[in-house]
Amino acid sequence: MTQKGNQEQLKNFNRRSVLNYIRKKKTATKAGLASVTGLTFMAIKKIIEELESLDLVRCDEMEGGNVGRKAVSYAINENYRYTIGIHINKFVTSIAVLNLCGEVMEVNRFSMPKENQSQSAFMELVIANVREVVRRSGIAQEMFLGIGIGVPGPVDTVNGVVLTPPNIPVLKYLPLKEILEERFGCSVFVQKDTNVIAFGEYWCGDDKDTNDLTYIDVDMGIGSGSIIDGKMNVGANRIAGEFGHITLDLNGPLCNCGNRGCLEAMSSGIAILRDLRGGLEKEPGHPLYEKREQLEIEDVFEMVERKDLLIISLLNQSAFYMGVAVSNLINVLDPQRIVLGGILIQKYPRYFEIVQDVANSYKVKGAKETQMSMSGLKENAGVVGAGEIVAEQFFNEMVNDLFTGSTQ
């Protein structure tokens, strides 16, 4: 590569660094950017002027006290382009239009079929809902950068194919990327759902200073995703994050994966329904006794509202097992922050408190207490993270073409 080419690469690296710092922190001043990047104030001034001319950043507000000149802060131009985020789980598929700051502009949700449904029928439903949210947003098609999708693993992320998700048969070997790229003529990126949610929490969550983060999905199944130094950790063989399949008890209940005593078999929503069914066999006077063979997770939370001791004891037991597993995670990875989300966390707040207490009690003694929080993105975590996959591609790959065009 020529010296000129090397210089251009360095300039693009600096431009991307500035963009991504502003993206992470939400706003930044020139002086602040010079301090964290090591570039001179004049170099930062030139980069900001270039980014403003490309409409990628905008002046946000004036910062400062009563004395001296106030500094101008800059933010990403959230309406420069838009993304589409899709999140598919056992119960609901959510589809949203998002701006470049991960804010949901429009969202549609539809229930997953309880009976067998063909893949073609499912995909037509997805496509119709994508078109509907785009129509409602009023945003022109050429303003969209692409589609991001979060689905239960395992996933072939290179080819965008869902492999063998144990709890959603309709997704088995479904070539999502190929189908949607053909229908919409844009780039499509497919990732495991917990990686996607972790990414959304990293870029759009409450903590702007976190560089390392682990997200744990406490839902009908159990999974996790990790962000290390701002990058998604997918693992050497792309199976990182199968937190639900760590073994807690070699003689424990059989898991969907074929092993015994997995965290998912002992702590998930599926495990709670199984144990509740067994508990009801001994309590014929219980309000759910007659329904014991057709239990749904909504029944559990309805009985929590009624302070049912059987249900509460099962949820507390689940939270205890989860806390033990999280303590092991802390001892191995020592993440800067752990974020917990999913239906059990959202619907039973005491769950989080138990996990936090148990995890910090069982981890290595004397270590600083690990920061834990509940997901602030809640039911939008999946679509926000899916949109951020596309945004990440834009801010680190596609944007180079803009820089090249601006210097010609």
Side-chain angles (χ1 to χ4, degrees):
M1 182 176 288
T2 65
Q3 184 176 358
K4 183 178 179 182
N6 286 329
Q7 289 176 340
E8 194 59 34
Q9 274 200 343
L10 180 59
K11 284 181 181 178
N12 285 350
F13 174 81
N14 290 335
R15 291 158 173 158
R16 292 195 307 270
S17 296
V18 168
L19 269 176
N20 281 305
Y21 184 84
I22 297 172
R23 181 182 166 209
K24 176 64 174 168
K25 298 293 184 179
K26 310 309 179 192
T27 62
T29 63
K30 292 174 185 172
L33 286 163
S35 175
V36 297
T37 61
L39 298 172
T40 66
F41 184 87
M42 290 308 296
I44 290 294
K45 181 175 182 290
K46 182 176 180 182
I47 289 173
I48 289 292
E49 287 172 352
E50 289 173 340
L51 297 179
E52 279 193 293
S53 71
L54 291 169
D55 211 22
L56 290 168
V57 301
R58 59 176 175 79
C59 176
D60 185 57
E61 59 183 8
M62 305 291 283
E63 294 183 0
N66 297 323
V67 179
R69 187 175 179 181
K70 293 185 177 181
V72 179
S73 67
Y74 296 87
I76 296 295
N77 177 10
E78 63 271 38
N79 297 318
Y80 176 80
R81 290 292 186 273
Y82 299 86
T83 66
I84 295 168
I86 300 175
H87 179 222
I88 303 171
N89 68 23
K90 181 176 174 62
F91 297 110
V92 176
T93 290
S94 303
I95 300 172
V97 168
L98 306 105
N99 64 22
L100 278 187
C101 288
E103 295 165 335
V104 174
M105 316 297 290
E106 289 287 344
V107 64
N108 261 16
R109 306 184 202 277
F110 63 87
S111 298
M112 295 294 284
K114 293 186 178 179
E115 302 299 326
N116 290 336
Q117 182 186 48
S118 70
Q119 288 189 337
S120 60
F122 174 72
M123 287 310 302
E124 289 303 323
L125 194 54
V126 170
I127 290 163
N129 276 270
V130 169
R131 287 177 172 154
E132 173 62 16
V133 292
V134 170
R135 184 194 65 77
R136 287 209 318 264
S137 74
I139 298 166
Q141 186 171 341
E142 61 268 20
M143 294 293 286
F144 287 94
L145 295 169
I147 299 172
I149 309 174
V151 291
V155 179
D156 174 355
T157 56
V158 175
N159 296 303
V161 178
V162 191
L163 298 177
T164 55
N167 299 320
I168 315 180
V170 73
L171 297 181
K172 191 173 182 180
Y173 296 112
L174 183 60
L176 283 169
K177 178 181 174 70
E178 180 183 347
I179 294 169
L180 293 178
E181 284 187 344
E182 183 179 329
R183 287 297 189 97
F184 292 105
C186 64
S187 298
V188 175
F189 307 93
V190 184
Q191 272 285 355
K192 191 171 69 170
D193 53 355
T194 47
N195 288 339
V196 160
I197 297 173
F199 212 52
E201 290 289 346
Y202 174 78
W203 283 110
C204 304
D206 296 331
D207 190 345
K208 295 183 288 186
D209 298 319
T210 298
N211 291 317
D212 302 320
L213 174 151
T214 295
Y215 171 79
I216 300 174
D217 200 43
V218 190
D219 213 285
M220 296 308 290
I222 305 292
S224 71
S226 291
I227 306 299
I228 299 175
D229 197 23
K231 301 297 181 184
M232 190 183 294
N233 177 37
V234 298
N237 298 301
R238 297 190 171 270
I239 61 168
E242 292 297 337
F243 185 59
H245 298 292
I246 63 171
T247 302
L248 290 186
D249 182 356
L250 288 171
N251 299 310
L254 186 66
C255 182
N256 282 340
C257 73
N259 293 327
R260 287 193 172 274
C262 293
L263 176 62
E264 185 165 300
M266 300 180 70
S267 192
S268 66
I270 292 172
I272 289 170
L273 292 180
R274 178 201 64 220
D275 292 345
L276 175 57
R277 191 176 305 114
L280 289 172
E281 292 290 348
K282 304 171 187 176
E283 295 193 25
H286 194 281
L288 292 177
Y289 178 78
E290 298 297 332
K291 195 183 179 184
R292 64 192 183 281
E293 297 300 329
Q294 293 87 35
L295 291 168
E296 297 180 347
I297 197 65
E298 289 79 7
D299 299 319
V300 170
F301 301 119
E302 183 180 328
M303 294 308 294
V304 167
E305 294 293 321
R306 295 164 63 175
K307 304 293 189 291
D308 183 82
L309 292 180
L310 174 60
I311 302 288
I312 289 173
S313 68
L314 290 174
L315 284 165
N316 290 349
Q317 173 182 276
S318 165
F320 175 82
Y321 289 137
M322 179 60 64
V324 172
V326 170
S327 72
N328 291 326
L329 177 74
I330 293 170
N331 290 340
V332 174
L333 292 181
D334 189 23
Q336 188 177 0
R337 175 175 289 277
I338 294 175
V339 180
L340 284 88
I343 194 169
L344 300 185
I345 294 290
Q346 293 171 18
K347 298 289 189 178
Y348 184 53
R350 175 70 180 139
Y351 198 106
F352 172 79
E353 297 170 15
I354 295 171
V355 172
Q356 188 174 39
D357 289 345
V358 173
N360 281 307
S361 297
Y362 277 75
K363 69 181 178 61
V364 171
K365 304 304 179 189
K368 184 179 177 182
E369 188 168 298
T370 302
Q371 298 179 50
M372 292 189 207
S373 60
M374 295 171 63
S375 171
L377 300 178
K378 298 181 180 178
E379 70 273 9
N380 284 331
V383 291
V384 169
E388 286 304 301
I389 296 176
V390 184
E392 174 81 354
Q393 197 70 18
F394 171 72
F395 283 112
N396 289 287
E397 299 291 340
M398 304 178 199
V399 77
N400 290 322
D401 293 335
L402 287 177
F403 297 150
T404 301
S406 71
T407 56
Q408 289 179 348

